[in-house]
Amino acid sequence: MSKEKQFVKEITPQSEDFSRWYIDVIKKADLMSYAPVRGCIVFKPDSYEIWENIQKEMDSRFKETGHRNAYFPLFIPESFFQKEKEHVEGFNPELPWVTEAAGEKLEERLAVRPTSETMFGHMYAEWINSYRDLPLLINQWANVVRWEKRTQPFLRTSEFLWQEGHTAHEDEADARRETMQMLEIYRDFAENFLAMPVITGQKTPSEKFAGAVDTYSIEAMMKDGKAVQAGTSHYLGTNFAVAFDIKYLDRDNQHQFCHTTSWGTSTRLIGALIMVHGDDRGLVLPPKVAPTQVIMIPIGPPKTREPVVAKVNELYAELKKAGVRVKVDDREGQSPGWKFNEYEMRGVPIRVELGPRDLEAGQMVLVSRVSGEKKVIRQEDFVQEVQTMLEEIHTAMLEKARQFRDEHMTDVDTMDQFKAFLDEKRGFAYAGWCGSADCEAKVKEETGATSRNIPFQPAVTKTTCICCGQEAKHTVVFGRAY
Amino acid sequence: MSKEKQFVKEITPQSEDFSRWYIDVIKKADLMSYAPVRGCIVFKPDSYEIWENIQKEMDSRFKETGHRNAYFPLFIPESFFQKEKEHVEGFNPELPWVTEAAGEKLEERLAVRPTSETMFGHMYAEWINSYRDLPLLINQWANVVRWEKRTQPFLRTSEFLWQEGHTAHEDEADARRETMQMLEIYRDFAENFLAMPVITGQKTPSEKFAGAVDTYSIEAMMKDGKAVQAGTSHYLGTNFAVAFDIKYLDRDNQHQFCHTTSWGTSTRLIGALIMVHGDDRGLVLPPKVAPTQVIMIPIGPPKTREPVVAKVNELYAELKKAGVRVKVDDREGQSPGWKFNEYEMRGVPIRVELGPRDLEAGQMVLVSRVSGEKKVIRQEDFVQEVQTMLEEIHTAMLEKARQFRDEHMTDVDTMDQFKAFLDEKRGFAYAGWCGSADCEAKVKEETGATSRNIPFQPAVTKTTCICCGQEAKHTVVFGRAY
């Protein structure tokens, strides 16, 4: 068996054990290490750079829509959590507490923030006086901690990185418009930046954010058919405004409670894009988010090495100047074959090969990570061809993921149908739901699947409840989830 | 008294009470709010945007020198702090502890990181095997917490934002080269981005980082003559490598301990640049870091308003396209005079005025925040003139701050001389130091001044110790500090 084959062997095939495949890939691709703190990981440079690319793009979308960044404290006094009843019930079970500092017991325990509605609420009450102060549109990039039982790298870690937007508005209409605008930004970002198709819709009451009036989500399907909630946007009504006394003087000089929203996405996006796009050879990174978009590998025997490497470096400089994230691997200790596997495993979208015969012919070879397609091009077209191929790869990845998802979606009428589907095929199912929390709970109990959301645009409309058979109020997407 | 004058009155003059001036300015300019957590502040959008500009520039300098970003856990197990004796002694008095999470008492207390040498040390020991893995050059942008008794917005807060670089090297020479390289990046950044002159030098043993072999710093002088340590770079020797077992196989297949470094700057830079440049009218922001570099204000009576505003918007678009951070204030509810004061207070480097007569004459007026100088320019030269003036303002601010500092530096031979200088003039003094910690402590006790650093390029060389009169080993810069 050749070295290359042995190498590939080290990644468990997805079909054999998807969870092991995931851990194999993120370890081999050097994305993370387990930290010596329960449920925490270290985001190594290659995954952190994915996060930096996500941040940069998302941040510019937030700023374009009038939001500004700020930074609020990590610690939240215990009393703050008591102010909003649902909120404390939702988050209390997961909070870590600072009880001592600088050698003394604190008078009031401080929670390490799991989310910052309460802290923003407290400050907004101080800052907002008049309708002229509204809307107040602030986002924060921060770390948060939720001490959960089951953790999984990127997807669910005790500490994670995220952004949380918190806005205050004059009325329900404006707050709801904001809630939907941010959901749409998330959808567009997921699809057009991460090449990750998502289902947008509203969460059922039992799945909504603790303290929200309505929660909306984008839901993506992983290659094992399970769901990842990839972003949420909440209309909070006046719940936090009443709890924290966020009031303003309206145009008629009357005191009114603000209507607030919050919305967030996190480093779990990294886990999601790996599970949506990866294959048995390793990562497949969407071009727009890939730390390295193009890897250039000079090929051929030592005697032709010098001119080949010189040409590669010349072309490298051109591509870099055009703004493409490109690297050259001209190490002599590793064979081209080894390198091909290495960068396939790391998910680099395009590999460029250039050998002595290419040099003579004025050509070079581009290889697409997603299709494996090889394309011989003229050197003078290099920059243009790469840019075109990066676009094509993005489109192909989105299309491929969409196809996979659609093939793993069905609609079901009964619980037995749904169970059979989950056993045979895995994926999501549209099902009717009467609206009762009991029926929803029963689906979860019997199938392990939860309601992902009530999609805005269901492919089918179901008329009877999957559980009780009564008239359905909603068509819901159900699926097992991370 | 006109409204404008009343307005200015709200800022306490620096000469009357510098500390009150500082708090007045940062509150009026809307940079921060006190948070409902001891010693913490909220970084409001205008100060956070300064931090974003600092981050962007510094991050690109780190990346140019081969560093990559990563993210390490917030929590550090108590046992980690026990491994490096000086480190635990230095930081233990300031640590907040998480003792409970998710309703259960933790088996081992977790510190909220005050700095991450121990966590990086633990991970580096796992990651580094061979000389091929070295140097390992990683930076982290993160929040840290130090539960200190006296706090002051931006300069010393319980929680603050910073970057911490942690690197591992084969030998002392390479680690020392890195330590000096990062110090030089900090110096250059302070002077050429923040227009803040600094003194570079080595910390005395009693002032060095807990666990370092040698600490180097950049020290800036505030307008009250006090010092702010604006960045530090540490050569850690093998202290943390031994404590955490960071070893590598060298080229001769022998196990060796790595030599490590760490270096950091923080949001205290925001406080420093305010105290270095601000004046009695408010903030004076260095152009390169200012969130808004140019404010454009249309002027004149309502009847000429429309064409004036149209021209302002047209010129605004040109300037924005050229990459300048520019805003227009065409609100009708506020007078031009009110706006002039407002943006002077907020420290916007250039104000642009354009009225009906300017419109006719094809001209406009630029006003420099730092000198107050008015310049009438032709509209077609707008972009070029602004870019030139921004450069000039940067240079003028650096020069002005350097002049202030030099006027507030002296050299002293005796403690009495130093005390007299501190009482009369305030500032830094060069003084000889024998090298004894007792003498250093006595200077602090009697004058309230600490050794800032042993400058690489002292203006004078002192030969006798300021305290004991014995032969001086070093010429030290002493000053009271934040």
Side-chain angles (χ1 to χ4, degrees):
Chain A
M1 192 187 283
S2 76
K3 269 195 185 169
E4 281 78 28
K5 288 235 176 89
Q6 276 179 15
F7 178 81
V8 173
K9 259 287 186 188
E10 292 173 39
I11 299 176
T12 307
Q14 293 185 333
S15 56
E16 194 180 308
D17 183 339
F18 192 79
S19 301
R20 273 191 53 200
W21 168 84
Y22 179 67
I23 299 297
D24 285 352
V25 164
I26 60 178
K27 295 287 282 182
K28 291 277 321 162
D30 209 23
L31 296 185
M32 56 69 74
S33 283
Y34 291 105
V37 180
R38 191 193 149 293
C40 289
I41 62 169
V42 178
F43 294 81
K44 295 187 81 171
D46 275 347
S47 66
Y48 194 80
E49 201 168 328
I50 293 174
W51 183 237
E52 289 180 297
N53 291 338
I54 289 174
Q55 283 188 299
K56 205 185 297 171
E57 174 70 15
M58 222 184 255
D59 198 67
S60 82
R61 291 172 186 231
F62 296 160
K63 284 177 178 159
E64 274 165 25
T65 44
H67 303 85
R68 298 187 72 193
N69 291 326
Y71 187 76
F72 288 68
L74 171 70
F75 297 137
I76 299 179
E78 181 164 19
S79 55
F80 281 34
F81 279 93
Q82 307 304 333
K83 294 191 181 183
E84 217 290 332
K85 195 174 151 292
E86 281 189 17
H87 195 65
V88 66
E89 282 171 12
F91 284 101
N92 230 3
E94 300 173 359
L95 297 178
W97 293 101
V98 174
T99 58
E100 311 161 17
E104 289 180 18
K105 201 163 152 32
L106 297 179
E107 283 181 32
E108 180 179 12
R109 299 196 299 175
L110 299 171
V112 182
R113 67 177 159 223
T115 180
S116 303
E117 278 73 12
T118 57
M119 184 57 77
F120 275 76
H122 177 90
M123 299 312 307
Y124 279 16
E126 186 182 313
W127 297 345
I128 295 170
N129 295 301
S130 134
Y131 69 89
R132 288 186 208 86
D133 301 322
L134 301 175
L136 183 56
L137 310 171
I138 295 184
N139 176 63
Q140 161 169 283
W141 294 96
N143 55 342
V144 282
V145 178
R146 298 179 185 177
W147 216 253
E148 297 187 270
K149 291 226 167 57
R150 279 179 45 231
T151 61
Q152 184 140 23
F154 300 117
L155 289 176
R156 193 177 297 275
T157 48
S158 298
E159 182 190 3
F160 57 96
L161 302 177
W162 81 342
Q163 60 70 213
E164 48 179 325
H166 297 270
T167 68
H169 304 261
E170 285 186 60
D171 54 28
E172 174 166 353
D174 198 49
R176 285 198 177 273
R177 191 203 44 73
E178 167 82 6
T179 307
M180 288 304 156
Q181 171 184 268
M182 302 323 290
L183 186 73
E184 171 59 16
I185 285 180
Y186 290 159
R187 182 205 62 76
D188 189 75
F189 175 83
E191 300 193 345
N192 295 321
F193 200 76
L194 304 181
M196 183 167 82
V198 291
I199 295 169
T200 54
Q202 180 170 359
K203 287 284 188 184
T204 60
S206 68
E207 295 284 335
K208 73 180 166 62
F209 176 75
V213 172
D214 290 318
T215 288
Y216 303 88
S217 72
I218 55 171
E219 305 278 338
M221 187 191 288
M222 306 299 104
K223 276 196 175 167
D224 61 353
K226 286 170 77 175
V228 165
Q229 175 182 292
T232 48
S233 185
H234 316 293
Y235 168 60
L236 304 173
T238 55
N239 290 352
F240 285 88
V242 169
F244 288 90
D245 203 31
I246 315 175
K247 279 194 288 215
Y248 71 97
L249 267 182
D250 71 10
R251 287 165 168 83
D252 302 322
N253 230 24
Q254 301 295 309
H255 280 289
Q256 303 283 356
F257 283 113
C258 290
H259 290 250
T260 68
T261 84
S262 68
W263 28 275
T265 56
S266 74
T267 38
R268 77 182 329 213
L269 285 172
I270 300 170
L273 69 89
I274 294 166
M275 286 192 175
V276 165
H277 299 299
D279 64 23
D280 285 349
R281 306 183 72 80
L283 293 180
V284 183
L285 293 178
K288 294 183 192 178
V289 82
T292 302
Q293 297 174 307
V294 176
I295 182 73
M296 299 181 71
I297 301 173
I299 291 178
K303 61 176 180 178
T304 60
R305 197 170 166 75
E306 208 177 304
V308 166
V309 169
K311 175 54 81 180
V312 166
N313 284 331
E314 181 193 319
L315 291 161
Y316 159 82
E318 265 181 48
L319 197 58
K320 196 178 159 76
K321 205 176 145 194
V324 175
R325 296 188 292 271
V326 54
K327 281 189 181 159
V328 172
D329 186 348
D330 61 358
R331 286 177 296 173
E332 300 195 36
Q334 309 289 4
S335 73
W338 186 93
K339 290 179 186 176
F340 293 176
N341 282 327
E342 176 72 9
Y343 295 103
E344 280 188 357
M345 192 267 294
R346 290 175 181 267
V348 178
I350 298 178
R351 177 174 83 231
V352 175
E353 307 171 6
L354 198 152
R357 261 177 288 180
D358 299 311
L359 189 64
E360 272 175 35
Q363 65 184 34
M364 59 209 303
V365 183
L366 308 190
V367 186
S368 157
R369 171 64 179 90
V370 64
S371 66
E373 179 209 354
K374 289 193 175 204
K375 190 170 183 187
V376 179
I377 63 157
R378 294 185 309 171
Q379 286 169 11
E380 59 263 44
D381 302 334
F382 181 43
V383 172
Q384 181 56 49
E385 290 279 1
V386 164
Q387 285 170 335
T388 304
M389 193 181 244
L390 287 173
E391 278 300 325
E392 284 167 0
I393 289 174
H394 169 84
T395 308
M397 287 177 74
L398 178 59
E399 191 41 48
K400 195 172 174 181
R402 194 169 267 148
Q403 211 169 352
F404 178 90
R405 187 197 57 190
D406 292 348
E407 283 166 7
H408 289 79
M409 285 196 76
T410 189
D411 67 285
V412 293
D413 296 306
T414 66
M415 207 85 97
D416 285 340
Q417 271 185 0
F418 189 25
K419 280 189 247 181
F421 168 74
L422 286 172
D423 288 346
E424 281 159 34
K425 189 139 188 186
R426 296 164 302 134
F428 300 167
Y430 290 106
W433 175 52
C434 65
S436 120
D438 287 347
C439 283
E440 194 182 350
K442 210 164 169 196
V443 174
K444 186 174 179 182
E445 198 188 306
E446 292 198 17
T447 66
T450 47
S451 74
R452 303 317 310 149
N453 63 29
I454 303 165
F456 296 142
Q457 297 175 308
V460 292
T461 302
K462 306 301 289 182
T463 52
T464 57
C465 178
I466 182 179
C467 184
C468 66
Q470 303 289 307
E471 193 186 340
K473 271 199 188 141
H474 302 286
T475 299
V476 171
V477 170
F478 284 95
R480 291 178 182 148
Y482 280 96
Chain B
M1 193 187 278
S2 77
K3 268 194 185 168
E4 281 79 27
K5 286 228 176 95
Q6 276 179 16
F7 179 81
V8 172
K9 257 291 186 185
E10 293 174 36
I11 299 176
T12 307
Q14 292 186 334
S15 55
E16 193 179 309
D17 184 338
F18 192 80
S19 301
R20 273 191 53 200
W21 167 84
Y22 178 67
I23 299 298
D24 285 352
V25 164
I26 60 180
K27 295 286 282 183
K28 291 277 323 164
D30 209 24
L31 297 184
M32 54 73 69
S33 283
Y34 290 104
V37 180
R38 191 194 150 291
C40 289
I41 61 170
V42 178
F43 294 80
K44 295 186 81 172
D46 275 346
S47 66
Y48 194 80
E49 201 169 327
I50 292 174
W51 183 239
E52 288 180 299
N53 290 338
I54 289 174
Q55 284 189 299
K56 205 185 297 171
E57 173 70 16
M58 222 184 254
D59 198 67
S60 83
R61 291 172 186 230
F62 296 159
K63 284 177 178 160
E64 274 166 25
T65 44
H67 303 85
R68 297 187 73 193
N69 291 327
Y71 187 76
F72 289 67
L74 171 70
F75 297 136
I76 301 180
E78 180 164 20
S79 56
F80 280 34
F81 279 94
Q82 308 303 332
K83 293 192 181 183
E84 216 290 334
K85 195 174 152 290
E86 282 190 15
H87 195 66
V88 66
E89 283 172 9
F91 283 101
N92 230 0
E94 300 173 359
L95 297 178
W97 293 102
V98 173
T99 58
E100 310 161 17
E104 288 182 18
K105 203 165 150 33
L106 298 178
E107 283 182 32
E108 181 178 13
R109 297 195 300 174
L110 299 171
V112 181
R113 69 180 156 219
T115 181
S116 304
E117 279 73 11
T118 57
M119 185 57 76
F120 275 77
H122 177 90
M123 300 312 306
Y124 278 17
E126 185 181 315
W127 297 345
I128 294 169
N129 294 301
S130 136
Y131 68 90
R132 287 185 210 87
D133 301 323
L134 300 175
L136 184 54
L137 310 172
I138 295 185
N139 176 63
Q140 161 168 284
W141 293 95
N143 54 342
V144 283
V145 178
R146 298 180 186 176
W147 214 253
E148 297 188 271
K149 290 223 168 59
R150 279 180 44 230
T151 59
Q152 184 140 26
F154 299 117
L155 289 176
R156 191 177 298 274
T157 47
S158 298
E159 181 188 4
F160 56 96
L161 303 176
W162 81 342
Q163 60 71 214
E164 50 179 324
H166 296 271
T167 69
H169 305 261
E170 284 187 60
D171 55 29
E172 175 168 352
D174 198 49
R176 285 198 178 274
R177 190 201 47 69
E178 166 83 5
T179 308
M180 289 303 157
Q181 171 184 268
M182 301 325 288
L183 186 72
E184 171 57 15
I185 285 179
Y186 289 159
R187 182 204 63 75
D188 189 74
F189 175 82
E191 300 193 345
N192 295 320
F193 200 75
L194 304 181
M196 184 168 81
V198 290
I199 296 170
T200 56
Q202 182 171 357
K203 286 285 187 183
T204 60
S206 68
E207 295 285 334
K208 74 180 167 61
F209 177 75
V213 172
D214 290 317
T215 288
Y216 303 87
S217 72
I218 55 171
E219 304 280 339
M221 187 191 289
M222 306 299 104
K223 276 198 175 165
D224 61 351
K226 286 171 77 174
V228 165
Q229 175 182 293
T232 49
S233 186
H234 316 291
Y235 169 59
L236 304 173
T238 56
N239 290 352
F240 285 89
V242 169
F244 287 90
D245 205 31
I246 315 174
K247 278 194 288 216
Y248 71 97
L249 268 181
D250 70 11
R251 288 164 167 84
D252 302 323
N253 232 24
Q254 300 296 308
H255 281 290
Q256 303 284 356
F257 283 113
C258 289
H259 291 249
T260 67
T261 84
S262 67
W263 28 276
T265 55
S266 75
T267 36
R268 78 182 329 213
L269 285 172
I270 300 170
L273 69 89
I274 294 167
M275 286 192 176
V276 165
H277 298 300
D279 63 23
D280 285 348
R281 304 184 71 80
L283 293 180
V284 183
L285 293 178
K288 294 184 191 177
V289 83
T292 303
Q293 298 173 308
V294 177
I295 181 72
M296 299 181 71
I297 301 174
I299 291 181
K303 62 177 181 180
T304 60
R305 195 168 168 77
E306 208 177 302
V308 166
V309 169
K311 175 54 80 177
V312 166
N313 284 332
E314 179 194 321
L315 291 162
Y316 159 84
E318 267 182 46
L319 196 59
K320 196 178 159 76
K321 204 176 148 195
V324 176
R325 297 189 290 272
V326 55
K327 280 189 182 160
V328 172
D329 186 348
D330 60 358
R331 287 178 295 173
E332 299 194 38
Q334 308 290 2
S335 74
W338 186 93
K339 291 179 185 175
F340 293 177
N341 281 327
E342 175 72 9
Y343 295 103
E344 279 189 357
M345 194 269 293
R346 289 176 182 266
V348 177
I350 297 178
R351 177 175 81 232
V352 176
E353 306 170 7
L354 199 153
R357 262 176 289 180
D358 299 312
L359 190 64
E360 272 175 37
Q363 66 183 35
M364 58 209 304
V365 182
L366 307 189
V367 186
S368 156
R369 171 65 179 89
V370 64
S371 67
E373 180 209 354
K374 288 192 173 204
K375 193 170 180 186
V376 179
I377 62 157
R378 293 186 310 172
Q379 287 170 11
E380 60 261 45
D381 301 336
F382 181 44
V383 172
Q384 181 55 50
E385 290 279 0
V386 163
Q387 284 169 335
T388 305
M389 193 182 245
L390 287 172
E391 278 301 324
E392 284 168 0
I393 289 174
H394 170 84
T395 308
M397 287 179 72
L398 179 58
E399 191 42 47
K400 194 173 172 179
R402 195 169 266 147
Q403 211 170 348
F404 178 89
R405 186 196 58 190
D406 292 348
E407 282 166 8
H408 290 78
M409 285 197 75
T410 189
D411 68 286
V412 294
D413 294 308
T414 66
M415 208 83 98
D416 285 340
Q417 269 184 1
F418 189 25
K419 280 188 247 179
F421 169 74
L422 286 172
D423 287 346
E424 282 158 33
K425 189 139 188 184
R426 294 165 301 134
F428 300 168
Y430 291 107
W433 175 53
C434 64
S436 120
D438 287 347
C439 283
E440 194 182 350
K442 212 166 167 195
V443 174
K444 186 174 178 182
E445 200 188 304
E446 293 199 15
T447 67
T450 47
S451 73
R452 301 320 308 151
N453 64 28
I454 302 166
F456 295 142
Q457 297 175 309
V460 293
T461 303
K462 306 300 291 182
T463 52
T464 57
C465 178
I466 183 179
C467 182
C468 66
Q470 303 288 306
E471 193 186 340
K473 270 195 188 146
H474 303 287
T475 298
V476 172
V477 170
F478 283 96
R480 292 179 183 148
Y482 280 96

